[in-house]
Structure formats: structure tokens, C-alpha cells
Amino acid sequence: MPYHEKISSYFKTEITVLTIVTISGLLYNTGLLAAPYLQGKLIDAIAGRQQLQRVLFTAFLLVASTAIVQCSRAVKRFYVRRFANDVNAQMQNVIYANLVHQSEDTLFSDNVGNLMTKAVSDVDACVEGMRKFTTEIFDTGVFLISYLVVLLVYDWKLTLVSCSFIPLALFSAGRLRKIISGFTLSWRKSMSEVTNSTYDYVNNAMLYRINGRENDNCTAYEQLNKDYEKKAVLANIWENSMMPVYKVISLAGIILIVVSGGEKVINGGWSIGKFTAYVAMFIALAEKASHAGKLFNSVQKAEVSWDRIKPFMNNSFPDNNKTSDSVETFFDTDSTCSVVSSTNVSFAWPENKPIIHNISFSLGRGKILGVTGPVACGKSTLARLFLGGRRYGGSIKIYGKELSELSDSSRIKLIAYMGHEASLLSATIYDNVTLGNDGNIDDVLQTVCFDTDLKEMADGIKTLVGNGGVRLSGGQQERIALARTLYHKTPFIILDDPFASVDRATEQNILSNIRRNYSDCTILLISHRLSQFSTLDGVLLLEKDGTAICSSHEKLMKCSETYRNLYELQEKHINDEAHR
């Protein structure tokens, strides 16, 4: 996949296609000269009462030249569109590749609507500007030069005087550049806001409906659309309404042509056919010159979009210079060594606000470490550090190698992660588990105790879960997400609150199944529920101040008041529920 930081580089990648565009464009635009010239000759032949054979021959030449010119035009238009489609696909691929490689901090700094607009709409606008530029090089540039040369041959003085208004039209277009760019940028930003709101309202429709916020949201959404519509109209007015102005300025010289050319016809200096051909060529020249003004506006619009997507149009991925190791390379190490070790790990967000600090623990192969603590103490933050998207202080090592030095591909092979949100796709159960990889999911569904639920579903693993898993219960969503993580098995698995929506018995069964079926994996289990923590190989307790204690369940019950209170409160609640 090619990566380019300069827009001109995309033209170089399509050199073959553009060569065909160049040849067909030259044939088309230079061939256009034949029509007014032969029309003038035909008028003179008819007016001069020349032989029928000569009139018919001139008419044949006119028809034949028109056919050749239009065929060349069809070829040019086809390959210009192919060029645009190829570039659009390249840009979309590059933007996608860059977005998925960005750090969490970078992605969180931008909203979804803005990213979606950049990835789709801005690329389309940029490519459209490139397409128009490629087209107008011939349809305007070559055309203008060709017609201007012929007009100069006809009468160079009259041509220079009458064409003096054309540069004025182009100058006007250039002066309006900043104004048009400003309106276009405002329109693009408004589009991002509408896209983001659309995504938010659709994704959280049920939440807004339950809380009676539908009407307020509809009103707010309507206001956003009105603002977008207003800015879109202004941007398009400034881009398109200037066309008649440019045309009027460019055509101002026709007055001189009518006066001077009329005198030439009367005095016998020009024939009627020659005058007609000159007028037709000048009008075509002036009209194309006005199109050049519109081209400037389109290029300015494309430049605005390019500036917005340019940060994502390079290949400076976070791990470009890191080596990728196979999983076997890590397994070759001594089996008695720690799979995961954390030494004085700290993290702050923003950079001056510490969330966790001085966290140390070590975890061997096949062990399960429970992580718990009060609300908002940094449990999920600690888990997400292993995903490689954030800078941390201290040291985190996987099989003896520093996490920050691992390539993305190595980290993905080593670490699997289940977040506390299920993040289900609007697809089937099978697709949600496999994520496009073919395979049998029966065993993993049985591991997460979903086989019983599946028997009650008519479509089985082909059951559609709906947007975000809306057709499933909370516990079913969690278990599908857990099944997905276990299906894509890695040596180190992180589970962030996987049992929050399942009952205690199901939690116990799933954990027993995981111990039995994934005994070769090292697991970091984050949970608010401590009922199974006494069966784990260790417990990491995070305090509210961001520090942590790593010990066994038994020792923490003796030495940590925080842990003891959390555990006893949960046990009391469970016992109270059992006696009701």
C-alpha cells in the first residue's frame, strides 16, 4: 500500500492512466478547433454557391472530425474517472491504516463525526478537486492555448484587445480564494458535528427514549442541520455563483469583436464564415476561461479537505521501527520465568494528574491474577496500558521484553483483551466471535456457558445480535464478548469485568471452564465481584490513591481493611439475597 504526504505523489502513482488521459485530452481539445473552422468553411461554401460535391465533402469532414473528437472525449473522461477512483481507494486505505494505528490519546482528542467526515467526505472532496484539475488541464488549459493561437492567426490585434478581460476574470477568482476556503472549512466542520450527532443519536436511541430526551434531541439535531444547511448553501453559493460573474467578465470583449469584425465583413476583409468562426471560437475561449475560475474554487475546496486529512496521510506508525517476533520466539524462554512483570508502573491523565503509580506484580504461566479495588481507582486504566496505546512510567515486561518496545503485531499475538463494554457488531453470533476468521466456536461457547442459551435460539450461531447486541441480554452480551476473546487465544489474556451481568453460579462455572481449558494461558482478571477471588492465584488491590498491594486473598483479608470491607459487604449482600 502506497503512503504519500504530498498530494502530487498520487499523480505519479497513476502515470500510465494519466498518459492515456494526456493523449486523448490533446486529441479532444485540439480537435475541437476543427468544428468552428469547418463550420465557417461550410457557410462560405454554401454562401459562395460552390459545387455540391465540395459542400458535401466539407460537411463530411465536419461530421468525421466531430466523431473523432467525441470518441477522444469519451476515452479521456473514462480514464479521468478511473484515475479518481484509484486515488480515492488509495487515500481511503491510507487513512484507515493510519486511524487504526493511532494511539488512544490521539483518537480520543477527535470526535467520531469528525473522523468519519475526514475518512469519507474530505477524501471525496479532495479527490474531486484532483479530478477536476486533471480534466481542466486539457478541457481548459490546452483548449485555451489552442484557441488563442488560432485567434491570433486570424487577427492578433483584435484578439489581444478582446482577450484582455480574461486575465481579469482569473484574477478575481484568485482574490476570492481565502473567502471561499473559509466558507468551505466552516461547512466541513458543521458536517462533522452533524455526523457525530447522528452517530450518537442512533447509537443511544433507546437511552434517550427511556429518559424522555427524544424531543429535545430532535430539536437540537434540527438546529445542527439548519446550521449545516446554512453553511453548505453559503459554501456552494460562493463556489458556484461566481461562475456567471467570471463569464460576464470574460465575454466583455465580444463587444469589440462585433464592432471590429462587423467592419471587416463590410469592408470585405473577412468572409461571413470567417467572422462566424472567429466569434464562435472567442465565445468558447471566454467560456472556458470562466471555467478556469470555477476550477480555482474547486481546487481551493480540495485544499481545505487535504489540510484536514493530511495528518493521517503518512506512514509514521507508532511501531514502524520495531521488530516483529513470532509467539514461538517468546515461548522459547525458560518456562519458569514470569510471563508478565510490572515494576513501579505509573500513568497520568492528563499528564499532570497521576491515576496509578508504583504498581508492581509478577505473573507466571497458567496463573490467574485478580485485580480489584474501589470505584475509579484505575483498574481499567491499568489493563489498557497493556494495549500499547499510552505512555507509562516504570516497566511492563512480557516474557522479559519491554511492552513499549514490542511491535503492534507482536503485542497482538501475545495479548488478548476484553473490555468492560461488550462492543458487539451488528452481525451474527458466529461473526461476533470469529471476527471474520473461519472456525468452530462450539467449544468456546460451551466454555462461557452459552450453549444452553443457543439451544433456545432458532437460528443458533447465525442469530443476529442487533446494533451493539441490543437483541441479547446484558449477560449474553458479556459472554459473547468473552467467547470472542477466548476464541482468539493468546498467551496473556486480560478480562475487564467479564462477569458483571451474570449470576454467581454461572460465574463460577465459567471460571472453572477457563481454568481447565486455558491452563496454558496467563490471565489478568479485573472485577468488582470478589466471590471467586479466593480461588485465584493472587490478588492485586488498587487503592483510591493509585497505589497497589499484590498478595493472596487470605493475606489481604488479614492486612487490608479496604479489601476485607469490599469482600464482606459483597458476601453479606449475597446472603441477604439468598434469605429473601
Side-chain angles (χ1 to χ4, degrees):
M1 183 191 304
Y3 297 93
H4 307 293
E5 295 184 6
K6 292 183 179 180
I7 200 168
S8 59
S9 300
Y10 286 92
F11 288 95
K12 295 177 182 178
T13 62
E14 297 294 316
I15 191 67
T16 303
V17 172
L18 291 177
T19 299
I20 299 174
V21 171
T22 301
I23 295 171
S24 57
L26 288 171
L27 285 174
Y28 167 56
N29 286 282
T30 54
L32 286 173
L33 288 166
Y37 174 78
L38 291 173
Q39 284 174 2
K41 287 292 184 181
L42 186 59
I43 291 172
D44 286 341
I46 295 172
R49 297 186 178 183
Q50 295 180 10
Q51 294 181 355
L52 178 60
Q53 185 178 359
R54 181 143 183 109
V55 172
L56 291 177
F57 179 72
T58 305
F60 170 77
L61 289 178
L62 176 61
V63 173
S65 65
T66 302
I68 293 172
V69 165
Q70 293 306 314
C71 286
S72 299
R73 182 189 185 193
V75 172
K76 181 184 73 68
R77 287 172 68 91
F78 172 81
Y79 279 97
V80 166
R81 176 48 62 187
R82 178 175 168 180
F83 160 75
N85 291 343
D86 290 347
V87 172
N88 190 292
Q90 287 183 42
M91 285 190 172
Q92 292 280 8
N93 287 338
V94 172
I95 275 207
Y96 176 77
N98 274 274
L99 285 176
V100 299
H101 282 85
Q102 293 296 320
S103 68
E104 284 186 289
D105 296 346
T106 301
L107 293 177
F108 287 160
S109 67
D110 220 338
N111 61 55
V112 174
N114 202 26
L115 290 175
M116 291 174 67
T117 301
K118 287 177 180 177
V120 180
S121 183
D122 280 321
V123 167
D124 288 343
C126 187
V127 172
E128 181 64 12
M130 295 172 69
R131 184 192 69 80
K132 288 183 177 180
F133 175 78
T134 304
T135 300
E136 296 302 333
I137 280 181
F138 301 102
D139 289 0
T140 299
V142 175
F143 183 95
L144 288 176
I145 294 172
S146 303
Y147 271 55
L148 183 60
V149 169
V150 174
L151 290 176
L152 287 170
V153 172
Y154 270 68
D155 189 322
W156 68 272
K157 289 183 180 179
L158 178 60
T159 299
L160 290 177
V161 174
S162 57
C163 289
S164 61
F165 295 94
I166 294 177
L168 181 61
L170 299 178
F171 176 77
S172 301
R175 294 293 294 178
L176 292 172
R177 174 172 180 168
K178 287 186 177 181
I179 297 176
I180 294 172
S181 295
F183 280 107
T184 300
L185 181 59
S186 179
W187 171 38
R188 290 282 164 196
K189 288 181 178 178
S190 181
M191 182 187 299
S192 296
E193 292 175 0
V194 171
T195 306
N196 193 58
S197 295
T198 303
Y199 180 87
D200 177 65
Y201 293 157
V202 170
N203 203 41
N204 300 296
M206 188 60 66
L207 174 65
Y208 291 132
R209 185 179 303 172
I210 292 172
N211 290 278
R213 299 293 300 174
E214 284 182 304
N215 291 335
D216 292 339
N217 284 341
C218 285
T219 302
Y221 190 68
E222 185 178 355
Q223 290 297 322
L224 279 176
N225 272 292
K226 285 181 178 179
D227 180 67
Y228 166 73
E229 182 181 358
K230 178 181 176 181
K231 290 177 179 177
V233 168
L234 285 172
N236 281 282
I237 284 177
W238 277 99
E239 180 187 356
N240 298 312
S241 66
M242 291 292 101
M243 187 72 175
V245 177
Y246 302 147
K247 189 174 291 188
V248 168
I249 296 174
S250 299
L251 284 170
I254 194 68
I255 300 173
L256 299 175
I257 293 174
V258 170
V259 174
S260 179
E263 289 182 359
K264 286 179 178 289
V265 172
I266 294 171
N267 296 331
W270 276 2
S271 65
I272 295 177
K274 192 172 184 178
F275 174 74
T276 304
Y278 188 92
V279 171
M281 288 184 186
F282 177 80
I283 292 175
L285 177 72
E287 187 170 344
K288 282 293 182 182
S290 63
H291 287 174
K294 185 178 181 180
L295 171 63
F296 288 163
N297 294 347
S298 298
V299 170
Q300 290 156 13
K301 183 178 178 181
E303 286 178 348
V304 171
S305 294
W306 174 253
D307 288 339
R308 281 167 53 85
I309 64 177
K310 189 176 179 180
F312 298 99
M313 301 305 290
N314 59 71
N315 63 340
S316 56
F317 295 157
D319 66 338
N320 272 351
N321 299 319
K322 301 174 185 177
T323 57
S324 178
D325 298 295
S326 65
V327 175
E328 288 74 15
T329 301
F330 296 96
F331 281 164
D332 286 341
T333 57
D334 184 359
S335 60
T336 60
C337 75
S338 296
V339 174
V340 183
S341 63
S342 164
T343 306
N344 297 326
V345 171
S346 301
F347 177 75
W349 176 263
E351 293 183 0
N352 60 348
K353 185 180 179 182
I355 296 179
I356 55 177
H357 52 88
N358 297 327
I359 293 182
S360 299
F361 65 88
S362 181
L363 198 56
R365 184 179 299 178
K367 302 298 183 179
I368 301 179
L369 178 68
V371 182
T372 192
V375 176
C377 64
K379 298 184 294 295
S380 295
T381 299
L382 174 63
R384 295 184 75 86
L385 290 183
F386 287 92
L387 303 185
R390 295 181 171 181
R391 295 180 180 179
Y392 57 86
S395 174
I396 298 177
K397 290 186 176 181
I398 310 292
Y399 283 101
K401 294 196 175 183
E402 190 64 37
L403 177 67
S404 60
E405 296 176 0
L406 293 175
S407 66
D408 277 352
S409 56
S410 292
R411 179 176 46 75
I412 291 169
K413 292 174 183 176
L414 288 169
I415 304 172
Y417 172 79
M418 173 190 169
H420 53 74
E421 293 181 1
S423 300
L424 298 186
L425 309 174
S426 182
T428 64
I429 290 174
Y430 179 82
D431 291 334
N432 268 282
V433 173
T434 63
L435 293 179
N437 294 335
D438 293 330
N440 190 308
I441 65 173
D442 293 341
D443 290 342
V444 76
L445 290 180
Q446 187 174 5
T447 297
V448 299
C449 300
F450 200 85
D451 48 334
T452 304
D453 302 66
L454 204 62
K455 292 177 182 177
E456 300 177 0
M457 298 179 178
D459 295 327
I461 59 175
K462 297 299 180 182
T463 301
L464 292 170
V465 306
N467 184 35
V470 68
R471 298 180 63 183
L472 303 177
S473 68
Q476 289 174 329
Q477 291 177 24
E478 276 187 350
R479 282 179 285 155
I480 292 298
L482 178 57
R484 175 172 60 204
T485 305
L486 297 176
Y487 178 82
H488 299 274
K489 178 182 175 182
T490 60
F492 180 40
I493 300 174
I494 302 172
L495 305 177
D496 191 350
D497 224 5
F499 309 125
S501 299
V502 299
D503 59 75
R504 189 174 184 179
T506 303
E507 176 186 2
Q508 184 176 359
N509 289 334
I510 293 175
L511 195 56
S512 297
N513 291 338
I514 290 175
R515 271 199 177 280
R516 181 175 61 254
N517 300 332
Y518 295 84
S519 59
D520 58 338
C521 296
T522 301
I523 298 174
L524 195 69
L525 174 61
I526 300 170
S527 181
H528 289 98
R529 295 168 56 167
L530 309 181
S531 58
Q532 299 300 315
F533 269 45
S534 60
T535 67
L536 303 183
D537 300 297
V539 177
L540 181 70
L541 173 67
L542 270 69
E543 302 282 5
K544 283 189 175 182
D545 62 359
T547 59
I549 303 172
C550 187
S551 187
S552 66
H553 167 78
E554 292 76 14
K555 288 183 178 180
L556 285 173
M557 286 293 291
K558 294 178 180 179
C559 67
S560 173
E561 183 179 356
T562 301
Y563 185 80
R564 185 170 57 255
N565 289 339
L566 287 172
Y567 186 83
E568 290 177 349
L569 282 172
Q570 289 186 23
E571 288 298 306
K572 183 177 183 300
H573 177 73
I574 292 172
N575 293 331
D576 290 344
E577 289 289 329
H579 287 90
R580 286 179 183 177

